[in-house]
Amino acid sequence: GAGVSQTPSNKVTEKGKYVELRCDPISGHTALYWYRQSLGQGPEFLIYFQGTGAADDSGLPNDRFFAVRPEGSVSTLKIQRTERGDSAVYLCASSLFGQGPYNEQFFGPGTRLTVL
Amino acid sequence: AQKVTQAQTEISVVEKEDVTLDCVYETRDTTYYLFWYKQPPSGELVFLIRRNSFDEQNEISGRYSWNFQKSTSSFNFTITASQVVDSAVYFCALSRGQNFVFGPGTRLSVLP
């Protein structure tokens, strides 16, 4: 596909469960980002990958959150022991490079996570 | 620390009116980028424009125009002759390299 895709589009889980959210970036984009957007707010940065490595994970709220990008393309955001406060839309974005003149980010449609 | 402020939480205009969305940013960096994104009701963020800190030239793209003023740390966005399809939440964002900071957004409603 031409754009960033995310699956699932919606995820409902129970408090304490483990969830995985998947992101497929635009082909050829080396940089990948995860954001969390709560209702009525702007996206909040979580983690940034350049290739396979996490170049900046300073936005991850705590050690229940983890993300991987093993082959430098698809990424998975993993949340352990989910809490009700984790409910939000999780956005993925990719850019051609992480820095410089081609760093505009292209966003996926998001995964709406609801923790009951 | 970097920060983006969008003081207008919600704006309502009638179709064909012009509307300006304000964005004020804070950064200590001399090199940075500013962005505007549109988030329509479908939810997907749509890239509108990128401006680097060394280019203060204003830009016009169709009905959209952007006014970057470094002296006041502002990057305002004007929609001329608004249309109902412009209804969305608009986010201003600031980046230094890969780290993006988004403002809280302005919800624009264009009424027919």
Side-chain angles (χ1 to χ4, degrees):
Chain A
V4 178
S5 63
Q6 292 185 246
T7 53
S9 55
N10 278 284
K11 176 72 178 177
V12 180
T13 191
E14 294 179 344
K15 181 174 177 291
K17 299 289 189 183
Y18 167 83
V19 296
E20 289 190 352
L21 312 179
R22 176 188 165 107
C23 172
D24 257 293
I26 293 173
S27 178
H29 280 195
T30 63
L32 184 146
Y33 312 77
W34 283 99
Y35 293 84
R36 179 168 67 176
Q37 187 176 19
S38 300
L39 194 62
Q41 298 182 22
E44 176 191 4
F45 170 78
L46 295 178
I47 186 170
Y48 154 63
F49 286 90
Q50 183 61 262
T52 60
D56 183 351
D57 64 357
S58 61
L60 294 178
N62 52 59
D63 61 6
R64 295 187 297 105
F65 289 75
F66 189 71
V68 296
R69 195 187 185 199
E71 297 177 359
S73 179
V74 170
S75 176
T76 305
L77 178 66
K78 308 181 181 194
I79 311 175
Q80 298 177 322
R81 304 184 304 280
T82 52
E83 299 178 356
R84 292 195 180 89
D86 298 335
S87 296
V89 176
Y90 288 81
L91 297 169
C92 177
S94 69
S95 68
L96 191 57
F97 305 116
Q99 305 184 43
Y102 302 104
N103 67 340
E104 57 261 41
Q105 297 181 15
F106 296 90
F107 283 80
T111 294
R112 181 176 298 278
L113 176 66
T114 304
V115 182
L116 302 176
Chain B
Q2 300 187 104
K3 184 179 177 182
V4 175
T5 301
Q6 295 178 255
Q8 305 147 308
T9 306
E10 292 191 40
I11 301 176
S12 286
V13 298
V14 177
E15 207 170 16
K16 298 184 184 175
E17 284 185 12
D18 298 347
V19 58
T20 295
L21 309 182
D22 298 333
C23 172
V24 174
Y25 63 92
E26 293 176 30
T27 182
R28 293 182 180 174
D29 297 317
T30 54
T31 302
Y32 52 88
Y33 293 89
L34 295 163
F35 300 79
W36 276 94
Y37 282 85
K38 174 182 180 180
Q39 190 172 44
S42 61
E44 194 158 337
L45 280 157
V46 177
F47 166 77
L48 295 178
I49 189 172
R50 180 195 71 241
R51 172 69 68 221
N52 77 55
S53 53
F54 297 108
D55 182 2
E56 288 192 69
Q57 212 170 18
N58 291 330
E59 180 155 341
I60 297 175
S61 176
R63 296 184 298 107
Y64 295 169
S65 62
W66 290 270
N67 184 342
F68 177 28
Q69 297 211 349
K70 217 167 174 179
S71 60
T72 56
S73 297
S74 65
F75 186 44
N76 296 338
F77 172 32
T78 297
I79 302 174
T80 303
S82 60
Q83 300 177 0
V84 173
V85 292
D86 296 327
S87 298
V89 180
Y90 290 86
F91 292 98
C92 181
L94 167 69
S95 89
R96 175 180 62 83
Q98 73 284 354
N99 194 346
F100 268 51
V101 175
F102 282 81
T106 296
R107 179 176 298 278
L108 174 65
S109 298
V110 182
L111 308 173

